[in-house]
Amino acid sequence: VREPFLDQHVELMEGDLLVGYTDGVAAQHEPFDADSIAGFVTKLLHKQSTPQQIAHGILEEARKQHPRGFDDDATAFVLRVK
């Protein structure tokens, strides 16, 4: 049974980041889940990383967690609100 999508509105402010990734990046019960991705992004933000560097870093870290390759698509994007 598929869960329905939630419709939720969030107000983003200048400087906020919107981070998205497909389920191939963060599989359930894997070491690289949503909480660890959030922590990883926070570390990169402390290094003043650009959105492009953060997206690249997420995919590189995910590749480390999937040494045999991904079973599914792996896409990440990061947008900064101006």
Side-chain angles (χ1 to χ4, degrees), residues 39-59:
F40 184 76
V41 169
T42 299
K43 286 180 190 175
L44 292 176
L45 286 174
H46 288 299
K47 296 180 180 181
Q48 303 295 317
S49 299
T50 66
Q52 293 85 356
Q53 291 168 326
I54 294 170
H56 180 76
I58 290 169
L59 292 175

Side-chain angles (χ1 to χ4, degrees), residues 10-19 45 50-51 54 77-82:
V10 177
E11 186 173 333
L12 299 173
M13 307 298 286
E14 184 176 333
D16 285 349
L17 291 179
L18 177 63
V19 179
L45 286 174
T50 66
I54 294 170
F77 67 87
V78 180
L79 306 172
R80 185 181 307 276
V81 177
K82 290 187 173 189

Side-chain angles (χ1 to χ4, degrees), residues 21-41 54-55 57-66 70 76:
Y21 50 85
T22 59
D23 59 349
V25 172
Q28 283 187 329
H29 310 297
E30 293 282 337
F32 201 52
D33 60 6
D35 289 335
S36 59
I37 291 172
F40 184 76
V41 169
I54 294 170
I58 290 169
L59 292 175
E60 285 302 309
E61 190 64 25
R63 282 186 187 95
K64 291 178 189 175
Q65 301 296 329
H66 298 85
F70 294 104

